[in-house]
Amino acid sequence: MPDGGRLIVALDTVEAERARAWADAVSPHAGLLKLGLEFFLANGAAGFRAITGAPVFLDLKLHDIPNTVAGGVRAVLPLRPRMLTVHAAGGSAMIRAAHQAARSAGADGPIILAVTVLTSLDEAALHDLGVAATPAEQVLRLGRLAIESGADGLVCSPLEVAMLRQALGPAVKLVVPGIRPDGHAAADQARTMTPARAVAEGADWIVCGRPITGAADPGAAAAAIAAAIQ
Ligand code: C5P
């Protein structure tokens, strides 16, 4: 069990006050809080610093030339995010540059997670991009490349977690969004899994947003999910 628990709560909003209220409510039950691109572009470092209660996963999905990505990672090190994301499609040198920049902060540096194939891309969309592989093949190819290039782990869909755990072994960190408690509407997440099932299939952490932040009592919703994966 990771320190603080396996639940990551996604605080997806541009409103700093709303994010702070959610953070206060769910922090007792969350291993991490996730801030994404929309929050960070709207509120910047000051908004990030106002989110307290649990370590923060900064989900910026960086993708640029190695020098620029390394600079981006170094730029957020003073905020002490616990996790950062990059796109594996940026290639080996870019992933390695992100890893080295993160390690420049020593043991306090964030772990680097790679995103393989966006779950919004199906086989036809990959074909349009010139990728002949199936999504599963491409996920595995990019996942291996990322880990060999210094990434600590991967963000992956519920459908990929068992395959990646089996292929890449126990040390690779797997972080899994697309989580829906039993009976909860899937919203725009087409491929979902319950929290307990995702952990049983090999997830180190699960990411859950709207089933918690959209609940009448976000603290209670987070507590119920945390209890289901203890
Ligand atoms: O609200 P919901 O539980 O769907 O939130 C899921 C979170 O995980 C969002 O912040 C979303 O950006 C992120 N995510 C995802 N699917 C991926 C990668 C990340 O839903 N493939």
Side-chain angles (χ1 to χ4, degrees):
M1 166 82 71
D3 278 356
R6 297 182 186 279
L7 174 62
I8 301 176
V9 181
L11 308 178
D12 289 323
T13 176
V14 294
E15 295 173 36
E17 272 312 309
R18 185 183 296 266
R20 276 177 57 168
W22 285 341
D24 290 346
V26 306
S27 285
H29 315 290
L32 293 100
L33 305 169
K34 185 169 90 71
L35 298 176
L37 198 56
E38 63 180 304
F39 180 89
F40 202 65
L41 291 179
N43 300 291
F48 183 107
R49 286 198 180 90
I51 300 298
T52 57
V56 174
F57 168 9
L58 186 54
D59 187 15
L60 299 180
K61 297 187 177 69
L62 303 173
H63 188 174
D64 209 313
I65 61 170
N67 187 55
T68 300
V69 166
V73 171
R74 283 193 298 270
V76 298
L77 289 180
L79 299 174
R80 302 181 69 158
R82 181 80 189 80
M83 295 176 172
L84 273 178
T85 42
V86 301
H87 270 283
S92 180
M94 188 208 79
I95 298 163
R96 198 163 293 288
H99 165 78
Q100 286 169 352
R103 294 284 69 80
S104 72
D108 283 345
I111 68 170
I112 298 293
L113 301 172
V115 175
T116 58
V117 178
L118 292 172
T119 47
S120 49
L121 298 175
D122 60 11
E123 193 157 353
L126 283 184
H127 192 95
D128 289 345
L129 293 171
V131 177
T134 66
E137 289 165 349
Q138 187 68 356
V139 164
L140 188 52
R141 172 191 295 254
L142 290 177
R144 280 194 204 284
L145 176 84
I147 299 304
E148 286 165 5
S149 305
D152 302 287
L154 305 173
V155 179
C156 66
S157 91
L159 292 189
E160 297 155 358
V161 62
M163 180 262 291
L164 289 171
R165 178 59 72 209
Q166 162 129 32
L168 301 176
V172 170
K173 306 296 182 204
L174 295 178
V175 176
V176 182
I179 298 297
R180 291 293 175 267
D182 270 337
H184 203 283
D188 56 354
Q189 294 272 20
R191 294 177 288 179
T192 65
M193 196 175 271
T194 64
R197 182 77 199 271
V199 169
E201 298 222 347
D204 293 290
W205 286 276
I206 60 164
V207 178
C208 192
R210 289 162 291 176
I212 294 172
T213 57
D217 183 344
I225 293 175
I229 55 174
Q230 258 181 358

